[in-house]
Amino acid sequence: MALLLTGCGQRQTPSTPHADMPARNWRYYVANPGEIEPMQKICREWAGSSAPSDTQPAVVTTNCRAAAFAKSQLAITPKD
């Protein structure tokens, strides 16, 4: 019983999603559309994590915005 009670008081550290990546711009994602969904998956993981938003690495913010913009550009670009 004592072991159960001591474990209850321990605080677990929130896990943070993957953030070790190169910074990309929207042109990269337009040229490599297969990279958009994997990046957006990382963006969703960060958005759903319990980590404070101000701890999100700048590279994640930059890549999320670039991937979203590239996706919108690809959606409105006429196909030949």
Side-chain angles (χ1 to χ4, degrees), residues 7-79:
C8 292
Q10 293 177 352
R11 183 175 172 217
Q12 294 183 359
T13 57
S15 63
T16 55
H18 178 71
D20 182 25
M21 64 187 76
R24 307 283 193 198
N25 63 27
W26 67 272
R27 289 177 186 90
Y28 171 84
Y29 289 107
V30 167
N32 300 281
E35 296 290 321
I36 293 174
E37 186 52 39
M39 186 64 231
Q40 290 190 321
K41 181 177 184 262
I42 293 170
C43 299
R44 288 189 297 272
E45 289 172 359
W46 269 101
S49 76
S50 58
S53 60
D54 63 341
T55 63
Q56 181 173 329
V59 69
V60 173
T61 302
T62 299
N63 286 357
C64 289
R65 290 179 180 160
F69 184 73
K71 186 175 184 177
S72 70
Q73 293 303 296
L74 290 169
I76 63 172
T77 302
K79 306 287 186 235

